[in-house]
C-alpha cells in the first residue's frame, strides 16, 4: 500500500483519491482553529503560494482530538481559515488522528514515520503536554499541527512536531521539489 491508495473526504464531503497528487510534494498537517499553533496557517499559506506552481500541495486535516480545539463544522473551519489566514490550499473533512477511529491515512503515516523530528522547543512542549495529561509517547500524534512531508514518489520522508514552524521546512521542501 502507498499513500496514493488512500481516499479521503474533502470539506464538502467529496471523496478525493490521494492518487490525484501523484508526482507532487505533499505537506500533510492535522490542524485546529482554536490552538496556540493556529497562526501556523499563515506560514503554511506562504509556503503554498510560493511553491504550488512548482509542485507543492498542502493537505489540511482538521482534528478535534486535542482539547476540542477544532470545533465547528467543516464549512465553518474552511470559512475561518479563509477569513483569518486567506488559506487557498485544500482543507479536508475533520478526522481523528489517533485511537480506534483514526483515519487510515494517519495509521499509514504514523507507521511510515513513527516519531517526530524535534527542535529546541520540543522538550518544553512535551513537558506541557504531560502537565495537561496528554500522552507524549509512542507513535501517536502528540498535538495539532504535526506535519508529514511526502516526496514526489509518495514516500513519507519526514514527520515534524507541532513546534516545528512551517517556514523551517522550506529548505527540505525546495530540495524535494528539485530546486
Amino acid at each position: 500500500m502507498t499513500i496514493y491508495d488512500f481516499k479521503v473526504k474533502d470539506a464538502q464531503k467529496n471523496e478525493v483519491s490521494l492518487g490525484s497528487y501523484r508526482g507532487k510534494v505533499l505537506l500533510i498537517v492535522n490542524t485546529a482553529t482554536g490552538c496556540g499553533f493556529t497562526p501556523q496557517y499563515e506560514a503554511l499559506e506562504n509556503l503554498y503560494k510560493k511553491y504550488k506552481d512548482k509542485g507543492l500541495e498542502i493537505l489540511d486535516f482538521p482534528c478535534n482530538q486535542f482539547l476540542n480545539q477544532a470545533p465547528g463544522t467543516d464549512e465553518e473551519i474552511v470559512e475561518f481559515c479563509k477569513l483569518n489566514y486567506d488559506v487557498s490550499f485544500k482543507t479536508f473533512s475533520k478526522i481523528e488522528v489517533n485511537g480506534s477511529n483514526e483515519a487510515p491515512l494517519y495509521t499509514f503515516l504514523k507507521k511510515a514515520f513513527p516519531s517526530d523530528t524535534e527542535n529546541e522547543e520540543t522538550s518544553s512542549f512535551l513537558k506541557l503536554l504531560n502537565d495537561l495529561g496528554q500522552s507524549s509517547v509512542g507513535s501517536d500524534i502528540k498535538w495539532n499541527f504535526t506535519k508529514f512531508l511526502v516526496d514526489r514518489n509518495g514516500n513519507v520522508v519526514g514527520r515534524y512536531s507541532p513546534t516545528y514552524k512551517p517556514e523551517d521546512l522550506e529548505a527540505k521542501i525546495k530540495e524535494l521539489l528539485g530546486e
Side-chain angles (χ1 to χ4, degrees), residues 116-152:
D116 293 346
T117 299
E118 300 179 353
N119 60 10
E120 57 193 48
E121 292 92 8
T122 302
S123 62
S124 60
F125 176 66
L126 292 176
K127 182 186 179 321
L128 175 63
L129 289 183
N130 284 334
D131 292 347
L132 291 171
Q134 297 289 318
S135 170
S136 62
V137 296
S139 67
D140 274 356
I141 302 298
K142 311 303 185 267
W143 203 254
N144 305 308
F145 289 89
T146 297
K147 300 154 201 73
F148 287 90
L149 198 52
V150 179
D151 71 13
R152 289 184 187 269

Side-chain angles (χ1 to χ4, degrees), residues 10-47:
D10 67 14
Q12 293 73 38
K13 306 291 190 258
N14 299 309
E15 189 172 81
V16 176
S17 168
L18 293 187
S20 65
Y21 293 102
R22 192 177 303 274
K24 303 279 188 172
V25 171
L26 306 177
L27 184 59
I28 300 172
V29 188
N30 66 294
T31 62
T33 54
C35 175
F37 293 111
T38 300
Q40 286 189 16
Y41 270 119
E42 182 176 355
L44 289 168
E45 179 63 19
N46 288 340
L47 281 174

